[in-house]
Amino acid sequence: HMVWLWVDLSASMAFRSRAAAGSKRDRALVLLLALTELLSTAGERVGLLGDGEPIIARNAAERLAETLSRLPSRPAVPDPRPLRRFADVVLIGDFFDPLDDLEAIFTTVARSGTRAHLIQVVDPVEETFPYAGRVEFRDPETGDRHVLGRAELYRDEYLAMFARRREWLVNLTRRLDWTYLVHRTDRPATEPLLALHARLADRHSRMAMFSGGRAA
């Protein structure tokens, strides 16, 4: 089976609060490489979306790590052109892009016949907005700065916007029959890794049953 992997290494993924064990980028890379190790051990073909063809190799994780080490940053938009029907693609990022941009990307992926699995990696403060008093915020993508005199007054509005975005992702992935996991960087990386691996294994076993039902 063919599994494509993609990770968002744009500037927003470098964010890390004091409440987190590491940056979103570091955790996303850990998830990608650990998943590669599990898949390659099971004999799956694994590849980085936009960087060559999938490979079958016991040292696939090491080879993908070498490729990623030469890519200090990547665009926040995956290249869907190599995707083909019946393959799987795992997309790992914070998905904080404008919703119109995300919908355009996901629509293109869906049209390829590939089934996607989303892992949204977020810092705990991005879910809770624990700020109060005078706080300066900086956009990691543009460098723009914004100062709030009483940040706590914006908490409810922010949390409502965050919840709407998550609901949008839930509804979209449900409509497309994709999977969607949320992972906070203050939680163990094993949680989304094992959950996704189980979903991939279940999907592959069902595909094998339908395509090779003669042996069932």
Side-chain angles (χ1 to χ4, degrees), residues 174-192:
R174 183 178 296 154
R175 174 167 55 86
L176 295 175
D177 192 29
W178 292 357
T179 68
Y180 170 54
L181 294 168
V182 177
H183 175 57
R184 278 179 33 161
T185 51
D186 60 341
R187 299 290 303 168
T190 50
E191 292 178 350

Side-chain angles (χ1 to χ4, degrees), residues 47-79:
L48 284 176
L49 187 59
D51 292 289
E53 292 296 321
I55 59 174
I56 300 177
R58 183 60 186 85
N59 65 339
E62 181 180 346
R63 291 169 63 175
L64 264 61
E66 291 176 356
T67 300
L68 287 166
S69 69
R70 299 192 296 268
L71 301 171
S73 63
R74 293 171 63 88
V77 178
D79 180 4

Side-chain angles (χ1 to χ4, degrees), residues 65-204:
E66 291 176 356
T67 300
L68 287 166
S69 69
R70 299 192 296 268
L71 301 171
S73 63
R74 293 171 63 88
V77 178
D79 180 4
R81 288 176 296 180
L83 299 176
R84 296 293 182 268
R85 192 179 181 191
F86 300 126
D88 287 277
V89 59
V90 179
L91 306 174
I92 307 173
D94 56 19
F95 304 118
F96 287 164
D97 309 87
L99 294 184
D100 288 344
D101 293 348
L102 288 176
E103 184 165 19
I105 296 166
F106 296 154
T107 298
T108 303
V109 172
R111 286 174 179 168
S112 72
T114 304
R115 190 174 191 232
H117 308 269
L118 275 56
I119 301 181
Q120 185 181 28
V121 180
V122 297
D123 189 278
V125 303
E126 292 172 335
E127 275 201 333
T128 59
F129 199 83
Y131 305 105
R134 187 179 186 276
V135 180
E136 179 182 276
F137 296 91
R138 181 177 64 85
D139 187 327
E141 305 287 348
T142 65
D144 293 343
R145 298 177 182 274
H146 186 66
V147 177
L148 298 180
R150 297 179 63 188
E152 66 273 15
L153 298 179
Y154 296 84
R155 182 176 296 120
D156 290 345
E157 181 181 359
Y158 170 86
L159 293 177
M161 292 175 59
F162 193 91
R164 286 196 298 270
R165 174 173 292 265
R166 181 158 294 173
E167 182 181 11
W168 182 88
L169 286 166
V170 168
N171 291 336
L172 180 137
T173 51
R174 183 178 296 154
R175 174 167 55 86
L176 295 175
D177 192 29
W178 292 357
T179 68
Y180 170 54
L181 294 168
V182 177
H183 175 57
R184 278 179 33 161
T185 51
D186 60 341
R187 299 290 303 168
T190 50
E191 292 178 350
L193 178 65
L194 295 178
L196 177 59
H197 187 252
R199 293 179 184 186
L200 284 169
D202 178 67
R203 169 168 160 78
H204 295 179

